[in-house]
Amino acid sequence: MSHSPDIFSAVFYSGPIMKIITDVKSGEIIDVNNELAHFYKLTREEMIGKTINELGISYTPERAGEIAALGRQHKGVRNVEMQLTLKGGDIKWVAVSFDVVEFNGCEYYFSVVNDITEKQAINEKLKISQERFRNLLESAPDAIVIVGAEGLIELVNVQTEKMFNYRREEMIGKPIELLITSRYAHAHRGHRDSFLASPKVRPMGVGHELFGKKSDNSEFPVEISLSPLETEEGLLVSAAIRDISEKKQLEKQIKEANVTLEKKVLQRTAELQTKNKELEQFAYVASHDLQEPLRTMSSFVDLLRKKNEGKPAEETDVFLEYIVQASDRMKTLIKDLLEYSRIGRTTKLRKVDCGHLLKEVTDDLRKGIEEVGAQINADHLPVINAYETELKLLFQNLISNAIKFRKKDVPLNIQIDATHDSQGWHFTVADNGIGIKEKFKDKIFVIFQRLHTREEYDGSGIGLAHCKKIVELHGGQIWVKSEPGAGSTFHFIIPEI
Ligand code: ADP
């Protein structure tokens, strides 16, 4: 069956495919269809007779030979991609497929041209984003391993090579277990599967430890953070692996340091407790034993007195009186010392209503309070867990001191308050007495330390030492704030015990 040449021409000139016939030797355009001419923004007539060099495609006799040979050898060349600059400066990408056709002893290219500009742009974008992804991957501080659903390593970054001491190609296509210690590999497989079942960004290794394995089989602790990557080829998992050897080492050192510290504190506390006990024991025994010779002294002084009665020996009487006074004072000191050493020996914690307690104290001190006309105010004192006898002694001492160290010409006011804060119950006992100089505010809490002579104010200097011991027995602290001439406020904290 034969067709008239017109049918072939009609097919050639028709769209939608761009077609062109070129002379192999000269590169001259023999014919084009309208589709191609429009693409070039020219008419057919403008194109025919030009060489393809004039269309911006470099075509030299040498290239002509090469291309034609290629065309003949392969029975046509397919999809050669090239960039064209059109009239007006527009840039397009085309894919050209051609055959070398012989006709009347001459050779021609019969080419079909496809506009692939859009596809090329998409490819370009894809290339850029792939490039970005790769840069991101390579600049990440962690080893990043991308694993396929089968658990095979698809991609790694340079950190992975460094961390595990493998070359990239030694890891790609291998199971992820290559990089995980075998004793954890099983658990890890379970993790990976369940992760793939419900993938979301999350850390791994919480609750159990994961180990990385280097190419020489040495292990190191790691932290792994997984995130899902949805791709055309399916769900991938990106694992960011961090070597936490240093962190672990630091944690271990801190733990060890803590244990040592705790041991030292315990040891020190035990030592202090023993020392304290020894001191208390010493004070107790000493004060107990001192009483005996003291009693002997005073009974012999009594005997001497009786013997000298009625005799004119005045000087001896005065000396004897001094001895009696001194031994009385010593008696008081010994009694105080004994009391001090007894604090906290046998007491039990109980609920103490501080309001009631204060009432008892003021009842006991009624005589002194009434004598000086002291005004004592206390509202809403709390019920606390405390050593009752000791707490009573504490209030007793502070109130007695406020009475003792009042200003003679000003009516005495004592204000007692309690507030609760983060440390426990914070009590204050404030007076408008003579006050205490700043430089003495620590000294006054030391046993037998006083700021006045006995002639000015009576006392042995043990009251505040008692107070300190009592507050510390409760685990609290005591201090004073004062303005000389205006008054003192004693603060103490009784923690919740
Ligand atoms: P004492 O009352 O037997 O001297 P304390 O240990 O109770 O011993 O007090 C030590 C010293 O602290 C007192 O000698 C006194 O100088 C000072 N002091 C205590 N309480 C007050 C107070 N409320 N106002 C002024 N000074 C005080």
Side-chain angles (χ1 to χ4, degrees):
M1 197 166 73
S2 75
H3 296 284
S4 83
D6 287 336
I7 289 184
F8 293 117
S9 312
V11 168
F12 176 77
Y13 292 124
S14 71
I17 301 164
M18 300 189 264
K19 284 162 254 175
I20 180 167
I21 300 171
T22 333
D23 182 82
V24 167
K25 222 180 263 162
S26 62
E28 185 192 328
I29 296 167
I30 307 298
D31 211 339
V32 296
N33 67 349
N34 276 330
E35 197 76 15
L36 188 78
H38 286 158
F39 179 70
Y40 266 97
K41 296 180 181 158
L42 298 170
T43 58
R44 277 187 60 237
E45 291 70 28
E46 283 172 319
M47 290 191 81
I48 295 168
K50 285 204 169 113
T51 65
I52 52 172
N53 272 320
E54 287 170 273
L55 293 182
I57 298 165
S58 132
Y59 193 78
T60 56
E62 297 86 62
R63 284 204 77 196
E66 266 170 46
I67 296 170
L70 210 65
R72 278 182 229 113
Q73 205 175 323
H74 293 285
K75 307 250 181 272
V77 174
R78 298 290 173 259
N79 289 320
V80 178
E81 290 181 4
M82 57 176 89
Q83 204 186 37
L84 301 176
T85 309
L86 305 187
K87 198 173 130 190
D90 266 3
I91 292 181
K92 295 275 183 189
W93 276 90
V94 290
V96 182
S97 301
F98 62 87
D99 277 3
V100 178
V101 180
E102 253 193 70
F103 188 72
N104 281 350
C106 284
E107 281 185 321
Y108 303 95
Y109 294 120
F110 170 61
S111 313
V112 170
V113 180
N114 264 312
D115 181 2
I116 56 164
T117 311
E118 250 174 56
K119 198 178 125 205
Q120 201 69 9
I122 293 171
N123 277 346
E124 200 56 34
K125 270 192 195 146
L126 214 64
K127 236 160 81 194
I128 291 172
S129 61
Q130 270 171 356
E131 191 61 29
R132 278 202 193 128
F133 177 66
R134 181 142 282 283
N135 285 342
L136 212 69
L137 203 67
E138 292 303 346
S139 63
D142 295 331
I144 296 194
V145 179
I146 295 180
V147 184
E150 292 302 307
L152 300 181
I153 299 170
E154 301 217 345
L155 201 74
V156 296
N157 64 354
V158 64
Q159 295 298 333
T160 316
E161 292 182 300
K162 283 188 196 154
M163 193 180 284
F164 293 91
N165 202 22
Y166 279 115
R167 273 176 292 118
R168 225 166 264 244
E169 54 274 22
E170 292 174 308
M171 294 182 272
I172 306 291
K174 300 272 165 56
I176 178 68
E177 282 76 13
L178 174 75
L179 307 177
I180 304 289
T181 50
S182 51
R183 66 191 150 110
Y184 287 97
H186 179 68
H188 179 248
R189 189 182 287 278
H191 262 262
R192 200 187 57 232
D193 291 348
S194 65
F195 175 79
L196 285 170
S198 71
K200 54 183 186 303
V201 179
R202 52 129 194 222
M204 270 182 85
V206 178
H208 70 279
E209 287 179 306
L210 290 169
F211 288 86
K213 192 172 65 173
K214 286 186 201 275
S215 58
D216 63 0
N217 275 341
S218 62
E219 291 174 10
F220 57 98
V222 291
E223 237 166 38
I224 304 181
S225 174
L226 299 176
S227 26
L229 282 179
E230 287 200 40
T231 68
E232 279 176 15
E233 294 110 65
L235 184 65
L236 303 181
V237 174
S238 148
I241 305 170
R242 187 167 295 180
D243 179 348
I244 52 166
S245 309
E246 257 178 47
K247 190 176 144 193
K248 283 271 164 196
Q249 188 60 25
L250 270 178
E251 274 175 11
K252 202 172 136 219
Q253 279 172 2
I254 291 173
K255 232 187 216 163
E256 280 169 5
N258 268 342
V259 170
T260 321
L261 199 69
E262 248 166 53
K263 261 193 209 151
K264 275 199 179 142
V265 169
L266 282 178
Q267 196 181 333
R268 209 74 202 102
T269 315
E271 277 171 18
L272 280 174
Q273 274 170 348
T274 317
K275 279 267 166 320
N276 253 344
K277 279 257 160 350
E278 279 170 13
L279 269 177
E280 274 174 18
Q281 196 66 21
F282 170 75
Y284 183 78
V285 171
S287 45
H288 224 273
D289 292 356
L290 282 173
Q291 275 176 331
E292 188 47 40
L294 192 61
R295 264 200 292 273
T296 317
M297 264 169 70
S298 37
S299 47
F300 278 101
V301 168
D302 266 358
L303 268 179
L304 265 179
R305 251 189 183 160
K306 279 191 188 128
K307 245 187 145 183
N308 280 347
E309 235 167 37
K311 291 185 186 161
E314 285 156 23
E315 213 179 38
T316 318
D317 275 348
V318 173
F319 290 165
L320 282 176
E321 187 52 36
Y322 283 159
I323 297 174
V324 169
Q325 275 178 17
S327 58
D328 279 351
R329 253 191 62 64
M330 194 154 168
K331 222 183 270 172
T332 319
L333 286 176
I334 289 170
K335 191 177 100 318
D336 286 348
L337 199 59
L338 205 56
E339 253 175 40
Y340 182 78
S341 69
R342 276 187 188 137
I343 287 174
R345 280 194 151 213
T346 53
T347 45
K348 276 214 170 67
L349 269 181
R350 62 168 62 119
K351 279 217 173 327
V352 180
D353 183 333
C354 295
H356 280 164
L357 194 84
L358 188 67
K359 172 103 183 21
E360 279 174 32
V361 172
T362 49
D363 282 350
D364 292 348
L365 299 174
R366 180 178 307 258
K367 207 167 143 247
I369 293 170
E370 280 172 2
E371 253 174 38
V372 303
Q375 187 69 42
I376 300 181
N377 299 308
D379 290 323
H380 312 299
L381 291 186
V383 175
I384 62 173
N385 269 339
Y387 300 103
E388 190 173 19
T389 321
E390 280 74 13
L391 196 65
K392 190 171 165 185
L393 187 61
L394 172 63
F395 278 111
Q396 223 162 34
N397 283 337
L398 292 180
I399 293 169
S400 309
N401 277 349
I403 294 172
K404 189 168 20 166
F405 299 106
R406 71 187 181 279
K407 280 198 289 200
K408 299 282 181 311
D409 49 346
V410 179
L412 174 60
N413 256 316
I414 304 173
Q415 177 70 37
I416 301 165
D417 289 301
T419 52
H420 195 268
D421 62 27
S422 61
Q423 299 186 66
W425 283 100
H426 184 156
F427 288 86
T428 49
V429 178
D431 64 43
N432 57 347
I434 61 169
I436 300 159
K437 280 194 187 142
E438 177 70 16
K439 63 176 174 181
F440 296 130
K441 70 180 185 13
D442 292 325
K443 186 182 170 188
I444 53 170
F445 292 102
V446 178
I447 192 164
F448 299 140
Q449 292 286 346
R450 323 195 54 227
L451 307 181
H452 307 276
T453 61
R454 272 199 317 283
E455 285 69 34
E456 285 176 291
Y457 294 98
D458 187 31
S460 60
I462 203 162
L464 288 180
H466 268 157
C467 294
K468 187 168 187 303
K469 199 172 173 194
I470 292 166
V471 171
E472 285 172 359
L473 176 72
H474 287 85
Q477 311 164 45
I478 184 166
W479 69 98
V480 69
K481 282 189 177 158
S482 176
E483 203 182 308
S488 316
T489 302
F490 283 85
H491 296 252
F492 61 93
I493 288 171
I494 304 288
E496 307 265 19
I497 39 178

Short mmCIF file of all heavy atoms in Angstrom, two decimals, residues 28 65 139 199 207 255 291 419 434 451:
data_model
loop_
_atom_site.label_atom_id
_atom_site.label_comp_id
_atom_site.label_asym_id
_atom_site.label_seq_id
_atom_site.Cartn_x
_atom_site.Cartn_y
_atom_site.Cartn_z
N GLU A 28 22.03 23.29 7.75
CA GLU A 28 20.98 24.17 7.23
C GLU A 28 19.60 23.57 7.51
O GLU A 28 19.42 22.36 7.39
CB GLU A 28 21.19 24.36 5.72
CG GLU A 28 20.24 25.36 5.10
CD GLU A 28 20.27 25.30 3.59
OE1 GLU A 28 21.34 25.00 3.01
OE2 GLU A 28 19.19 25.53 2.99
N GLY A 65 30.09 15.57 11.83
CA GLY A 65 30.58 14.21 11.59
C GLY A 65 30.32 13.32 12.77
O GLY A 65 29.74 12.23 12.65
N SER A 139 26.29 18.94 58.35
CA SER A 139 26.72 19.91 59.35
C SER A 139 26.14 19.59 60.73
O SER A 139 26.46 20.26 61.70
CB SER A 139 26.35 21.31 58.92
OG SER A 139 24.94 21.39 58.84
N PRO A 199 5.05 6.58 64.20
CA PRO A 199 6.26 7.41 64.20
C PRO A 199 5.99 8.85 64.62
O PRO A 199 5.08 9.49 64.11
CB PRO A 199 6.72 7.36 62.75
CG PRO A 199 5.51 7.01 61.97
CD PRO A 199 4.51 6.38 62.87
N GLY A 207 15.09 5.08 80.01
CA GLY A 207 14.69 3.92 80.81
C GLY A 207 15.63 2.74 80.63
O GLY A 207 15.80 1.95 81.52
N LYS A 255 28.20 11.39 90.89
CA LYS A 255 27.60 10.41 91.81
C LYS A 255 28.61 9.99 92.87
O LYS A 255 28.32 9.96 94.06
CB LYS A 255 27.16 9.18 91.00
CG LYS A 255 25.71 8.80 91.25
CD LYS A 255 25.42 7.51 90.55
CE LYS A 255 24.01 7.50 90.00
NZ LYS A 255 23.83 6.48 89.01
N GLN A 291 30.14 19.64 143.36
CA GLN A 291 29.22 19.94 144.46
C GLN A 291 29.73 19.39 145.79
O GLN A 291 29.53 19.99 146.85
CB GLN A 291 27.85 19.34 144.15
CG GLN A 291 27.03 20.26 143.31
CD GLN A 291 25.71 19.65 142.93
OE1 GLN A 291 25.62 18.42 142.82
NE2 GLN A 291 24.71 20.46 142.75
N THR A 419 5.18 33.76 113.11
CA THR A 419 4.67 33.64 111.74
C THR A 419 5.25 32.36 111.15
O THR A 419 6.29 31.88 111.61
CB THR A 419 5.13 34.83 110.85
OG1 THR A 419 6.54 34.94 110.98
CG2 THR A 419 4.46 36.12 111.23
N ILE A 434 17.04 48.16 127.32
CA ILE A 434 18.28 48.91 127.13
C ILE A 434 18.99 48.59 125.81
O ILE A 434 19.83 49.33 125.35
CB ILE A 434 19.27 48.66 128.31
CG1 ILE A 434 19.65 47.17 128.39
CG2 ILE A 434 18.69 49.17 129.61
CD1 ILE A 434 20.80 46.91 129.36
N LEU A 451 27.47 41.01 129.76
CA LEU A 451 27.93 42.33 129.34
C LEU A 451 27.98 43.29 130.52
O LEU A 451 28.39 44.43 130.38
CB LEU A 451 26.99 42.89 128.26
CG LEU A 451 26.74 41.99 127.06
CD1 LEU A 451 25.82 42.67 126.06
CD2 LEU A 451 28.05 41.60 126.39
#
